[in-house]
């Protein structure tokens, strides 16, 4: 399975942050995880709250660990809150099941990582993540 | 970003406790956290239950980590309980998402810390926190 | 069993901090715990590192939970490191077994709380704690 | 207390990674934390092991929380292993007490953040961190 290079991860972050600024979103925080759910790169904009790493990470981490993007996780949480609570027990409480955790797929459809964005509404966080992922020619699944 | 001095933190606590006594509230506990969510000062009045440090801390800690005061956290918890549960997983179970966690802003609007009050109803806890913060010329966001 | 009042706890902290300033110690952090090991009051001086609450708390907490002051805990840790490690497993990793965790006894010899001081050398931390405790007419066991 | 901007944090990381490549070090991972110990930015070079975020973070986190750089933490761990073990209990097992956790000070001597580097020997990790910090006109304490 291919992995995102640091250069590509960094481009995704920079583009996501630029998208947020263009669109007038609140200061964003963006993480890129590899296919094992491990942190490749992260940036928190000036003015974002200090705890935003954990939220960005939790959105992307659940996406990788379950192979399920944030919107699907939220749907499951709405239907079966106890299931997502149990998932969080298994994964050490590190999953944040809301939009803004976006899977990254290559042209063959393989998952090559995940992006987590937090700072504005969940829907706006997704817009920034998608802009970042598409800017490097990869396919978001949000 | 400026930080609250110990003198100012202590004045906030003393005024919050005085407000509670004046108003006939139950014995209060008041914590002041810095901009990183670390304890600067705390006092628990005689007669308050032993576990009140954790509740006061949890109200203020969530406010700092998310950049979101207690009332906004409660609104989010009412709408999306699983989201605030997940946030608590990320922050080690240290967040108490109810009123009484109050952000402290300076004249330029920057967050310089947070106050957490517990002991009476959540609304009364807020009244005491606000009195403390305003007594040193800073602006509460509850 | 008697408990320290908030007034007395606060006097202990203020005197301990004053002692540290007089003696030219680094900025100190001082906690007072009740007889159940629960936080009664805490202050962290300007310039002290952000994580000092946990260290001050850990020194005093072990003293209360084991009924054994910091020097005795350190002696035990030097002889039997695995025992103090096991104790920390039992107490959730909250014990810091070094000098600066000081038991507070009344005239009849009963434990009425504990003081934890951190910021300078362990021996200087003890000097500040002892000054605070003696200033309110109680007896330190360090 | 001033905080590092994202621009400056990013420059530190880029220069530290460049220094490692120039010097022929193994692939490095570099984190920048703010004055509260919260992640501001992180990058892991291609070829670095997946778990490197936690090590880089742990080096910088202990430096912030204790106000003590990695070399001083290692000296304390060598003398009093049980003390650093206890510190880790207090800080949730998040401290890695070895060189490569470097405090960042401004011209007035105030701590404005910390850098954690991991990937090569601890001494080489320090060389990369120092190069990054000095490249933005700030002062490392390693």
């Amino acid at each position: 399975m291919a992995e995102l290079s640091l250069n590509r991860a960094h481009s995704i972050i920079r583009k996501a942050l630029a998208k947020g600024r263009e669109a007038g979103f609140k200061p964003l925080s963006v993480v890129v995880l590899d296919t094992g759910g491990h942190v490749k790169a992260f940036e928190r904009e000036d003015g974002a709250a200090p705890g935003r790493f954990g939220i960005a990470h939790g959105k992307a981490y659940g996406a990788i660990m379950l192979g399920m993007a944030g919107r699907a996780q939220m749907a499951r949480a709405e239907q079966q809150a106890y299931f997502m609570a149990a998932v969080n027990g298994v994964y050490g409480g590190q999953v944040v099941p809301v939009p803004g955790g976006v899977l990254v797929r290559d042209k063959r459809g393989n998952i090559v990582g995940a992006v987590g964005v937090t700072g504005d509404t969940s829907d706006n966080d997704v817009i920034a993540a998608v802009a970042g992922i598409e800017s490097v020619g990869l396919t978001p699944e949000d």
Side-chain angles (χ1 to χ4, degrees), chain A:
Chain A
M1 193 179 293
E3 288 285 352
L4 287 169
S5 66
L6 176 56
N7 274 348
R8 238 168 171 183
H10 189 248
S11 295
I12 290 171
I13 290 174
R14 286 286 148 142
K15 182 65 185 177
L17 295 179
K19 182 70 184 180
R21 281 191 301 265
E22 263 172 57
F25 297 165
K26 291 184 200 161
L28 299 180
S29 300
V30 184
V31 75
V32 178
L33 303 187
D34 68 16
T35 59
H38 304 291
V39 190
K40 186 74 184 175
F42 172 77
E43 297 191 19
R44 172 163 55 97
E45 278 196 316
D46 302 334
R52 290 290 166 179
F53 172 78
I55 307 296
H57 178 271
K59 290 184 180 190
Y61 187 67
I64 286 290
M65 292 301 276
L66 293 164
M68 187 190 296
R71 290 198 198 281
Q73 287 179 63
M74 186 168 77
R76 189 72 188 260
E78 300 274 1
Q79 289 170 354
Q80 255 186 315
Y82 61 86
F83 175 73
M84 288 308 297
V87 162
N88 243 333
V90 170
Y91 297 142
Q94 296 299 301
V95 171
V96 180
V98 297
V102 181
L103 289 166
V104 184
R105 293 188 186 273
D106 65 14
K107 289 182 183 177
R108 303 165 66 183
N110 292 320
I111 293 171
V112 296
V115 173
V117 178
T118 185
D120 205 281
T121 65
S122 289
D123 285 339
N124 286 345
D125 294 342
V126 169
I127 288 170
V130 164
I133 295 164
E134 290 181 341
S135 77
V136 297
L138 292 165
T139 305
E141 175 186 334
D142 59 63

